[in-house]
Amino acid sequence: MRRHELTDESWAVIGPLLAPPRMGRPVRDRRQVVNGILWKLSTGAAWRDLPERYGPWKTVYERFRRWSADGTWDRLLAHVQQHSDAVGAVDWTIVCLDSTTVRAHQHAAGARKGGRGRAKAIGRSRGGLTTKIHLACDGRGRPLAFTLTGGNVNDCTQFEAVMARIRVPGCGPGRPRTRPERVAADKGYSSTKIRTYLRRRGIKAAIPERIDQINGRIRRGESRCRLDKAAYRRRNLVERCFNKLKHNKALATRYDKRARHYQALVTIACLRLWLP
């Protein structure tokens, strides 16, 4: 096993879901293909530079493209999260939300506008053309859900979208787990709409108020929102999660023109943090 490749324990978890069909012509070893995709994710190199030990680069790319289109990566992530939740490895006591900005390389530009699967989730911000990853992680700093937008999109506008993507299915019948006990986020998420949303769902908020909101409450004679400082200090979990994700060079800088392909790479990076 080489660096960045799947261990036997990790392959035992996701391998059965990638089993080839019983009938038809033989296909290339899928573990070899996945390792080639992981090499691309870790190095950020072009597909054409894929080492020969992973097979033809076009085969690996076509498999990545196909699995990105049919939702295979999302199913793998949901399966691993379900397996972890079944053994009590998911910490639902708190969920931390934040966003990070990723610079779009010049290779990410130039895609035709419109159409299915075209380039999206790129916006112009102070850093130029950027993509923003809005992410929620559990109490152990592992990603639960995320969304992609342009770098000029405000964080609070994606709060409900990220929360809606938190769906960890159980092993038996019943609805998937969607609600943590508490949510921690920075002042960018301090709004009446977000606090009402959490209160309606029975989720405690560890979100500090902005100074203008505090002054407004003082003028109206209202009491300030109480902040659980011990819970808010755990917000660094999402920052550490971003740090781990950005160890992958293909994720730290966006080279993909299509948002679907970049989203698949983020999903794979999240999947690696859940695998043993």
Side-chain angles (χ1 to χ4, degrees):
M1 187 188 69
R2 297 173 182 268
R3 188 184 178 194
H4 309 308
E5 296 183 354
L6 291 173
T7 63
D8 294 337
E9 294 80 4
S10 299
W11 181 248
V13 176
I14 66 173
L17 278 71
L18 295 174
R22 296 183 179 180
M23 301 181 64
R25 62 180 183 179
V27 297
R28 182 167 293 278
D29 181 14
R30 300 204 168 189
R31 182 173 179 178
Q32 182 186 39
V33 171
V34 173
N35 284 334
I37 296 172
L38 293 178
W39 181 89
K40 154 69 176 178
L41 172 67
S42 300
T43 63
W47 288 103
R48 294 178 181 271
D49 297 332
L50 198 71
E52 295 181 359
R53 62 178 177 270
Y54 299 119
W57 72 267
K58 194 169 185 179
T59 300
V60 179
Y61 169 73
E62 288 297 331
R63 198 71 55 84
F64 166 78
R65 185 184 62 82
R66 188 187 313 161
W67 288 344
S68 301
D70 63 12
T72 296
W73 303 117
D74 295 326
R75 288 192 295 271
L76 289 177
L77 180 59
H79 171 73
V80 176
Q81 290 176 343
Q82 177 186 10
H83 180 269
S84 299
D85 191 38
V87 298
V90 181
D91 187 354
W92 290 100
T93 59
I94 190 170
V95 163
C96 305
L97 276 86
D98 205 349
S99 69
T100 186
T101 301
V102 177
R103 182 67 182 269
H105 194 268
Q106 60 182 357
H107 294 167
R112 291 177 292 178
K113 297 181 179 180
R116 191 174 181 180
R118 299 300 182 188
K120 296 179 181 179
I122 294 181
R124 187 172 295 279
S125 61
R126 291 184 178 181
L129 293 178
T130 54
T131 294
K132 187 174 284 188
I133 305 175
H134 308 262
L135 182 136
C137 70
D138 73 337
R140 297 185 179 181
R142 290 175 299 183
L144 289 171
F146 70 91
T147 60
L148 295 181
T149 65
N152 56 333
V153 176
N154 195 288
D155 293 353
C156 64
T157 61
Q158 291 296 305
F159 179 85
E160 294 186 22
V162 175
M163 292 294 295
R165 288 177 175 265
I166 301 178
R167 299 178 61 85
V168 179
C171 295
R175 297 180 179 179
R177 182 75 181 268
T178 60
R179 286 186 288 184
E181 298 178 11
R182 191 185 306 269
V183 167
D186 59 20
K187 294 181 180 180
Y189 296 91
S190 179
S191 68
T192 303
K193 181 180 180 181
I194 290 177
R195 295 183 187 277
T196 303
Y197 170 84
L198 294 175
R199 192 181 305 114
R200 188 182 301 118
R201 301 187 67 198
I203 303 174
K204 298 179 181 179
I207 305 174
E209 291 184 296
R210 300 193 304 271
I211 187 64
D212 61 321
Q213 295 173 332
I214 295 175
N215 293 334
R217 286 183 178 274
I218 294 175
R219 287 194 303 269
R220 295 190 298 269
E222 300 176 356
S223 59
R224 293 178 55 182
C225 293
R226 294 183 178 179
L227 175 65
D228 188 340
K229 295 183 178 180
Y232 181 70
R233 279 195 292 267
R234 300 183 64 187
R235 196 186 65 83
N236 68 87
L237 291 169
V238 67
E239 302 291 351
R240 284 148 56 185
C241 182
F242 280 132
N243 186 31
K244 294 176 183 177
L245 292 175
K246 286 191 172 183
H247 286 174
N248 302 287
K249 294 182 176 61
L251 190 151
T253 302
R254 176 172 172 175
Y255 298 96
D256 296 273
K257 295 182 179 180
R258 299 189 177 185
R260 184 178 66 194
H261 291 174
Y262 184 71
Q263 182 174 353
L265 291 176
V266 178
T267 304
I268 298 170
C270 293
L271 174 64
R272 293 192 66 183
L273 295 183
W274 282 96
L275 288 173

mmCIF file of all heavy atoms in Angstrom, residues 122-163:
data_model
loop_
_atom_site.group_PDB
_atom_site.id
_atom_site.type_symbol
_atom_site.label_atom_id
_atom_site.label_comp_id
_atom_site.label_asym_id
_atom_site.label_seq_id
_atom_site.Cartn_x
_atom_site.Cartn_y
_atom_site.Cartn_z
ATOM 1 N N ILE A 122 -18.940 29.336 -8.769
ATOM 2 C CA ILE A 122 -17.763 30.207 -8.833
ATOM 3 C C ILE A 122 -18.253 31.641 -8.821
ATOM 4 O O ILE A 122 -19.105 32.018 -9.629
ATOM 5 C CB ILE A 122 -16.908 29.945 -10.086
ATOM 6 C CG1 ILE A 122 -16.296 28.549 -10.039
ATOM 7 C CG2 ILE A 122 -15.808 30.980 -10.212
ATOM 8 C CD1 ILE A 122 -15.423 28.232 -11.230
ATOM 9 N N GLY A 123 -17.746 32.427 -7.898
ATOM 10 C CA GLY A 123 -18.133 33.826 -7.810
ATOM 11 C C GLY A 123 -16.921 34.712 -7.609
ATOM 12 O O GLY A 123 -15.843 34.241 -7.218
ATOM 13 N N ARG A 124 -17.105 35.983 -7.856
ATOM 14 C CA ARG A 124 -15.994 36.923 -7.723
ATOM 15 C C ARG A 124 -16.068 37.586 -6.353
ATOM 16 O O ARG A 124 -17.064 38.219 -6.006
ATOM 17 C CB ARG A 124 -16.043 37.987 -8.822
ATOM 18 C CG ARG A 124 -14.807 38.890 -8.838
ATOM 19 C CD ARG A 124 -14.825 39.792 -10.065
ATOM 20 N NE ARG A 124 -14.703 39.011 -11.283
ATOM 21 C CZ ARG A 124 -13.563 38.550 -11.771
ATOM 22 N NH1 ARG A 124 -12.426 38.775 -11.114
ATOM 23 N NH2 ARG A 124 -13.536 37.862 -12.893
ATOM 24 N N SER A 125 -15.002 37.408 -5.574
ATOM 25 C CA SER A 125 -14.898 38.018 -4.257
ATOM 26 C C SER A 125 -13.593 38.807 -4.194
ATOM 27 O O SER A 125 -12.958 39.061 -5.228
ATOM 28 C CB SER A 125 -14.945 36.943 -3.161
ATOM 29 O OG SER A 125 -13.858 36.043 -3.296
ATOM 30 N N ARG A 126 -13.171 39.177 -2.992
ATOM 31 C CA ARG A 126 -11.932 39.949 -2.865
ATOM 32 C C ARG A 126 -10.722 39.173 -3.364
ATOM 33 O O ARG A 126 -9.750 39.762 -3.829
ATOM 34 C CB ARG A 126 -11.723 40.330 -1.399
ATOM 35 C CG ARG A 126 -12.720 41.348 -0.872
ATOM 36 C CD ARG A 126 -12.406 41.746 0.546
ATOM 37 N NE ARG A 126 -13.336 42.759 1.042
ATOM 38 C CZ ARG A 126 -13.273 43.296 2.248
ATOM 39 N NH1 ARG A 126 -12.313 42.901 3.092
ATOM 40 N NH2 ARG A 126 -14.150 44.203 2.641
ATOM 41 N N GLY A 127 -10.778 37.863 -3.261
ATOM 42 C CA GLY A 127 -9.662 37.041 -3.713
ATOM 43 C C GLY A 127 -9.714 36.675 -5.182
ATOM 44 O O GLY A 127 -8.933 35.847 -5.626
ATOM 45 N N GLY A 128 -10.654 37.272 -5.918
ATOM 46 C CA GLY A 128 -10.812 36.919 -7.322
ATOM 47 C C GLY A 128 -11.920 35.890 -7.491
ATOM 48 O O GLY A 128 -12.912 35.883 -6.744
ATOM 49 N N LEU A 129 -11.789 35.003 -8.476
ATOM 50 C CA LEU A 129 -12.772 33.955 -8.696
ATOM 51 C C LEU A 129 -12.581 32.866 -7.646
ATOM 52 O O LEU A 129 -11.520 32.243 -7.567
ATOM 53 C CB LEU A 129 -12.634 33.368 -10.098
ATOM 54 C CG LEU A 129 -12.985 34.318 -11.250
ATOM 55 C CD1 LEU A 129 -12.752 33.632 -12.586
ATOM 56 C CD2 LEU A 129 -14.431 34.789 -11.139
ATOM 57 N N THR A 130 -13.606 32.639 -6.839
ATOM 58 C CA THR A 130 -13.493 31.707 -5.727
ATOM 59 C C THR A 130 -14.759 30.869 -5.607
ATOM 60 O O THR A 130 -15.821 31.227 -6.117
ATOM 61 C CB THR A 130 -13.264 32.446 -4.393
ATOM 62 O OG1 THR A 130 -14.302 33.425 -4.220
ATOM 63 C CG2 THR A 130 -11.918 33.122 -4.364
ATOM 64 N N THR A 131 -14.601 29.752 -4.907
ATOM 65 C CA THR A 131 -15.708 28.878 -4.528
ATOM 66 C C THR A 131 -15.732 28.784 -3.012
ATOM 67 O O THR A 131 -14.688 28.747 -2.368
ATOM 68 C CB THR A 131 -15.530 27.472 -5.139
ATOM 69 O OG1 THR A 131 -15.627 27.559 -6.558
ATOM 70 C CG2 THR A 131 -16.591 26.512 -4.632
ATOM 71 N N LYS A 132 -16.924 28.753 -2.448
ATOM 72 C CA LYS A 132 -17.063 28.673 -0.998
ATOM 73 C C LYS A 132 -17.694 27.338 -0.613
ATOM 74 O O LYS A 132 -18.693 26.925 -1.198
ATOM 75 C CB LYS A 132 -17.907 29.837 -0.473
ATOM 76 C CG LYS A 132 -17.968 29.935 1.046
ATOM 77 C CD LYS A 132 -18.708 31.186 1.499
ATOM 78 C CE LYS A 132 -17.843 32.417 1.343
ATOM 79 N NZ LYS A 132 -18.493 33.619 1.969
ATOM 80 N N ILE A 133 -17.079 26.665 0.368
ATOM 81 C CA ILE A 133 -17.597 25.409 0.909
ATOM 82 C C ILE A 133 -18.249 25.712 2.250
ATOM 83 O O ILE A 133 -17.589 26.168 3.179
ATOM 84 C CB ILE A 133 -16.475 24.371 1.088
ATOM 85 C CG1 ILE A 133 -15.723 24.139 -0.221
ATOM 86 C CG2 ILE A 133 -17.048 23.050 1.609
ATOM 87 C CD1 ILE A 133 -14.517 23.218 -0.069
ATOM 88 N N HIS A 134 -19.554 25.481 2.339
ATOM 89 C CA HIS A 134 -20.295 25.631 3.583
ATOM 90 C C HIS A 134 -20.453 24.240 4.187
ATOM 91 O O HIS A 134 -21.033 23.348 3.547
ATOM 92 C CB HIS A 134 -21.664 26.254 3.336
ATOM 93 C CG HIS A 134 -21.600 27.531 2.555
ATOM 94 N ND1 HIS A 134 -21.631 28.772 3.149
ATOM 95 C CD2 HIS A 134 -21.507 27.759 1.213
ATOM 96 C CE1 HIS A 134 -21.564 29.716 2.219
ATOM 97 N NE2 HIS A 134 -21.488 29.122 1.039
ATOM 98 N N LEU A 135 -19.944 24.039 5.408
ATOM 99 C CA LEU A 135 -19.830 22.693 5.951
ATOM 100 C C LEU A 135 -20.302 22.628 7.396
ATOM 101 O O LEU A 135 -20.148 23.581 8.161
ATOM 102 C CB LEU A 135 -18.381 22.221 5.840
ATOM 103 C CG LEU A 135 -18.054 20.810 6.313
ATOM 104 C CD1 LEU A 135 -17.128 20.102 5.330
ATOM 105 C CD2 LEU A 135 -17.387 20.858 7.691
ATOM 106 N N ALA A 136 -20.882 21.474 7.751
ATOM 107 C CA ALA A 136 -21.265 21.162 9.131
ATOM 108 C C ALA A 136 -20.554 19.888 9.544
ATOM 109 O O ALA A 136 -20.538 18.906 8.788
ATOM 110 C CB ALA A 136 -22.785 20.976 9.247
ATOM 111 N N CYS A 137 -19.965 19.893 10.745
ATOM 112 C CA CYS A 137 -19.270 18.717 11.247
ATOM 113 C C CYS A 137 -19.833 18.339 12.609
ATOM 114 O O CYS A 137 -20.442 19.168 13.299
ATOM 115 C CB CYS A 137 -17.762 18.945 11.324
ATOM 116 S SG CYS A 137 -17.254 20.104 12.620
ATOM 117 N N ASP A 138 -19.625 17.104 13.014
ATOM 118 C CA ASP A 138 -20.140 16.623 14.292
ATOM 119 C C ASP A 138 -19.194 17.018 15.427
ATOM 120 O O ASP A 138 -18.209 17.736 15.223
ATOM 121 C CB ASP A 138 -20.366 15.110 14.255
ATOM 122 C CG ASP A 138 -19.059 14.325 14.280
ATOM 123 O OD1 ASP A 138 -18.015 14.893 13.903
ATOM 124 O OD2 ASP A 138 -19.073 13.149 14.686
ATOM 125 N N GLY A 139 -19.490 16.518 16.623
ATOM 126 C CA GLY A 139 -18.694 16.878 17.783
ATOM 127 C C GLY A 139 -17.304 16.301 17.799
ATOM 128 O O GLY A 139 -16.508 16.631 18.693
ATOM 129 N N ARG A 140 -16.981 15.454 16.823
ATOM 130 C CA ARG A 140 -15.627 14.913 16.702
ATOM 131 C C ARG A 140 -14.883 15.481 15.501
ATOM 132 O O ARG A 140 -13.826 14.974 15.127
ATOM 133 C CB ARG A 140 -15.680 13.388 16.620
ATOM 134 C CG ARG A 140 -16.259 12.742 17.873
ATOM 135 C CD ARG A 140 -16.194 11.238 17.821
ATOM 136 N NE ARG A 140 -16.728 10.642 19.045
ATOM 137 C CZ ARG A 140 -16.775 9.329 19.288
ATOM 138 N NH1 ARG A 140 -16.315 8.476 18.388
ATOM 139 N NH2 ARG A 140 -17.288 8.884 20.412
ATOM 140 N N GLY A 141 -15.463 16.503 14.885
ATOM 141 C CA GLY A 141 -14.786 17.179 13.787
ATOM 142 C C GLY A 141 -14.834 16.455 12.468
ATOM 143 O O GLY A 141 -13.980 16.704 11.605
ATOM 144 N N ARG A 142 -15.826 15.596 12.267
ATOM 145 C CA ARG A 142 -15.952 14.888 10.991
ATOM 146 C C ARG A 142 -17.139 15.442 10.213
ATOM 147 O O ARG A 142 -18.202 15.698 10.794
ATOM 148 C CB ARG A 142 -16.098 13.389 11.224
ATOM 149 C CG ARG A 142 -14.828 12.743 11.738
ATOM 150 C CD ARG A 142 -15.013 11.289 12.070
ATOM 151 N NE ARG A 142 -16.004 11.106 13.123
ATOM 152 C CZ ARG A 142 -16.305 9.923 13.648
ATOM 153 N NH1 ARG A 142 -15.700 8.845 13.223
ATOM 154 N NH2 ARG A 142 -17.213 9.837 14.599
ATOM 155 N N PRO A 143 -16.997 15.634 8.901
ATOM 156 C CA PRO A 143 -18.028 16.327 8.112
ATOM 157 C C PRO A 143 -19.313 15.528 8.003
ATOM 158 O O PRO A 143 -19.307 14.328 7.717
ATOM 159 C CB PRO A 143 -17.357 16.494 6.744
ATOM 160 C CG PRO A 143 -16.312 15.418 6.688
ATOM 161 C CD PRO A 143 -15.834 15.227 8.088
ATOM 162 N N LEU A 144 -20.425 16.215 8.224
ATOM 163 C CA LEU A 144 -21.756 15.612 8.084
ATOM 164 C C LEU A 144 -22.422 16.011 6.777
ATOM 165 O O LEU A 144 -23.078 15.190 6.140
ATOM 166 C CB LEU A 144 -22.648 16.022 9.257
ATOM 167 C CG LEU A 144 -22.317 15.423 10.622
ATOM 168 C CD1 LEU A 144 -23.147 16.101 11.703
ATOM 169 C CD2 LEU A 144 -22.539 13.921 10.629
ATOM 170 N N ALA A 145 -22.273 17.277 6.380
ATOM 171 C CA ALA A 145 -22.923 17.755 5.161
ATOM 172 C C ALA A 145 -22.246 19.046 4.722
ATOM 173 O O ALA A 145 -21.590 19.732 5.520
ATOM 174 C CB ALA A 145 -24.414 17.987 5.394
ATOM 175 N N PHE A 146 -22.417 19.375 3.431
ATOM 176 C CA PHE A 146 -21.837 20.611 2.904
ATOM 177 C C PHE A 146 -22.595 21.035 1.664
ATOM 178 O O PHE A 146 -23.336 20.246 1.047
ATOM 179 C CB PHE A 146 -20.352 20.420 2.569
ATOM 180 C CG PHE A 146 -20.099 19.542 1.373
ATOM 181 C CD1 PHE A 146 -19.992 20.080 0.099
ATOM 182 C CD2 PHE A 146 -19.982 18.170 1.516
ATOM 183 C CE1 PHE A 146 -19.763 19.272 -1.006
ATOM 184 C CE2 PHE A 146 -19.755 17.346 0.424
ATOM 185 C CZ PHE A 146 -19.647 17.897 -0.838
ATOM 186 N N THR A 147 -22.423 22.293 1.298
ATOM 187 C CA THR A 147 -22.925 22.824 0.035
ATOM 188 C C THR A 147 -21.826 23.666 -0.601
ATOM 189 O O THR A 147 -20.896 24.121 0.081
ATOM 190 C CB THR A 147 -24.182 23.707 0.234
ATOM 191 O OG1 THR A 147 -23.859 24.815 1.088
ATOM 192 C CG2 THR A 147 -25.322 22.903 0.841
ATOM 193 N N LEU A 148 -21.943 23.890 -1.901
ATOM 194 C CA LEU A 148 -21.001 24.718 -2.648
ATOM 195 C C LEU A 148 -21.721 25.928 -3.214
ATOM 196 O O LEU A 148 -22.836 25.810 -3.728
ATOM 197 C CB LEU A 148 -20.368 23.927 -3.796
ATOM 198 C CG LEU A 148 -19.477 22.737 -3.468
ATOM 199 C CD1 LEU A 148 -18.946 22.132 -4.758
ATOM 200 C CD2 LEU A 148 -18.332 23.132 -2.560
ATOM 201 N N THR A 149 -21.080 27.083 -3.118
ATOM 202 C CA THR A 149 -21.600 28.302 -3.728
ATOM 203 C C THR A 149 -20.428 29.104 -4.273
ATOM 204 O O THR A 149 -19.261 28.746 -4.094
ATOM 205 C CB THR A 149 -22.362 29.162 -2.701
ATOM 206 O OG1 THR A 149 -21.453 29.624 -1.695
ATOM 207 C CG2 THR A 149 -23.492 28.387 -2.049
ATOM 208 N N GLY A 150 -20.748 30.204 -4.911
ATOM 209 C CA GLY A 150 -19.714 31.136 -5.305
ATOM 210 C C GLY A 150 -19.121 31.821 -4.091
ATOM 211 O O GLY A 150 -19.751 31.906 -3.025
ATOM 212 N N GLY A 151 -17.915 32.325 -4.220
ATOM 213 C CA GLY A 151 -17.244 32.934 -3.089
ATOM 214 C C GLY A 151 -17.878 34.218 -2.606
ATOM 215 O O GLY A 151 -17.553 34.697 -1.519
ATOM 216 N N ASN A 152 -18.808 34.803 -3.377
ATOM 217 C CA ASN A 152 -19.456 36.045 -2.986
ATOM 218 C C ASN A 152 -20.764 35.832 -2.231
ATOM 219 O O ASN A 152 -21.457 36.788 -1.902
ATOM 220 C CB ASN A 152 -19.731 36.899 -4.225
ATOM 221 C CG ASN A 152 -20.564 36.147 -5.248
ATOM 222 O OD1 ASN A 152 -20.542 34.928 -5.312
ATOM 223 N ND2 ASN A 152 -21.302 36.871 -6.066
ATOM 224 N N VAL A 153 -21.117 34.582 -1.931
ATOM 225 C CA VAL A 153 -22.383 34.272 -1.254
ATOM 226 C C VAL A 153 -22.195 34.374 0.254
ATOM 227 O O VAL A 153 -21.218 33.858 0.802
ATOM 228 C CB VAL A 153 -22.881 32.867 -1.642
ATOM 229 C CG1 VAL A 153 -24.132 32.500 -0.868
ATOM 230 C CG2 VAL A 153 -23.145 32.800 -3.142
ATOM 231 N N ASN A 154 -23.131 35.017 0.926
ATOM 232 C CA ASN A 154 -23.068 35.184 2.370
ATOM 233 C C ASN A 154 -23.280 33.846 3.078
ATOM 234 O O ASN A 154 -24.059 33.014 2.638
ATOM 235 C CB ASN A 154 -24.133 36.190 2.824
ATOM 236 C CG ASN A 154 -23.893 36.680 4.236
ATOM 237 O OD1 ASN A 154 -24.079 35.946 5.189
ATOM 238 N ND2 ASN A 154 -23.471 37.923 4.364
ATOM 239 N N ASP A 155 -22.577 33.650 4.197
ATOM 240 C CA ASP A 155 -22.636 32.375 4.912
ATOM 241 C C ASP A 155 -24.032 32.048 5.412
ATOM 242 O O ASP A 155 -24.489 30.905 5.304
ATOM 243 C CB ASP A 155 -21.666 32.391 6.100
ATOM 244 C CG ASP A 155 -20.220 32.439 5.655
ATOM 245 O OD1 ASP A 155 -19.975 32.333 4.446
ATOM 246 O OD2 ASP A 155 -19.334 32.586 6.521
ATOM 247 N N CYS A 156 -24.726 33.036 5.992
ATOM 248 C CA CYS A 156 -26.008 32.761 6.636
ATOM 249 C C CYS A 156 -27.072 32.300 5.649
ATOM 250 O O CYS A 156 -28.040 31.638 6.042
ATOM 251 C CB CYS A 156 -26.487 33.982 7.409
ATOM 252 S SG CYS A 156 -26.826 35.426 6.388
ATOM 253 N N THR A 157 -26.924 32.618 4.359
ATOM 254 C CA THR A 157 -27.926 32.199 3.379
ATOM 255 C C THR A 157 -27.904 30.701 3.136
ATOM 256 O O THR A 157 -28.870 30.142 2.604
ATOM 257 C CB THR A 157 -27.702 32.926 2.045
ATOM 258 O OG1 THR A 157 -26.395 32.585 1.533
ATOM 259 C CG2 THR A 157 -27.781 34.427 2.235
ATOM 260 N N GLN A 158 -26.817 30.024 3.506
ATOM 261 C CA GLN A 158 -26.688 28.592 3.279
ATOM 262 C C GLN A 158 -26.898 27.778 4.556
ATOM 263 O O GLN A 158 -26.731 26.560 4.528
ATOM 264 C CB GLN A 158 -25.306 28.278 2.705
ATOM 265 C CG GLN A 158 -25.101 28.782 1.301
ATOM 266 C CD GLN A 158 -26.031 28.100 0.306
ATOM 267 O OE1 GLN A 158 -26.063 26.880 0.198
ATOM 268 N NE2 GLN A 158 -26.798 28.902 -0.417
ATOM 269 N N PHE A 159 -27.268 28.424 5.645
ATOM 270 C CA PHE A 159 -27.405 27.709 6.911
ATOM 271 C C PHE A 159 -28.465 26.613 6.820
ATOM 272 O O PHE A 159 -28.204 25.448 7.146
ATOM 273 C CB PHE A 159 -27.755 28.700 8.021
ATOM 274 C CG PHE A 159 -27.930 28.053 9.368
ATOM 275 C CD1 PHE A 159 -26.840 27.814 10.185
ATOM 276 C CD2 PHE A 159 -29.184 27.666 9.815
ATOM 277 C CE1 PHE A 159 -26.988 27.207 11.419
ATOM 278 C CE2 PHE A 159 -29.350 27.068 11.046
ATOM 279 C CZ PHE A 159 -28.253 26.842 11.852
ATOM 280 N N GLU A 160 -29.658 26.954 6.394
ATOM 281 C CA GLU A 160 -30.735 25.966 6.338
ATOM 282 C C GLU A 160 -30.453 24.893 5.297
ATOM 283 O O GLU A 160 -30.823 23.723 5.481
ATOM 284 C CB GLU A 160 -32.064 26.663 6.050
ATOM 285 C CG GLU A 160 -32.527 27.588 7.161
ATOM 286 C CD GLU A 160 -33.910 28.146 6.923
ATOM 287 O OE1 GLU A 160 -34.669 27.525 6.140
ATOM 288 O OE2 GLU A 160 -34.255 29.187 7.505
ATOM 289 N N ALA A 161 -29.788 25.264 4.203
ATOM 290 C CA ALA A 161 -29.465 24.272 3.174
ATOM 291 C C ALA A 161 -28.489 23.228 3.705
ATOM 292 O O ALA A 161 -28.627 22.027 3.423
ATOM 293 C CB ALA A 161 -28.890 24.965 1.942
ATOM 294 N N VAL A 162 -27.493 23.666 4.481
ATOM 295 C CA VAL A 162 -26.536 22.721 5.054
ATOM 296 C C VAL A 162 -27.217 21.845 6.097
ATOM 297 O O VAL A 162 -27.018 20.627 6.130
ATOM 298 C CB VAL A 162 -25.340 23.477 5.674
ATOM 299 C CG1 VAL A 162 -24.401 22.509 6.374
ATOM 300 C CG2 VAL A 162 -24.581 24.244 4.601
ATOM 301 N N MET A 163 -28.039 22.452 6.954
ATOM 302 C CA MET A 163 -28.735 21.679 7.976
ATOM 303 C C MET A 163 -29.678 20.645 7.347
ATOM 304 O O MET A 163 -29.838 19.534 7.862
ATOM 305 C CB MET A 163 -29.514 22.609 8.896
ATOM 306 C CG MET A 163 -28.653 23.503 9.781
ATOM 307 S SD MET A 163 -27.698 22.578 11.007
ATOM 308 C CE MET A 163 -28.994 21.884 12.025
#
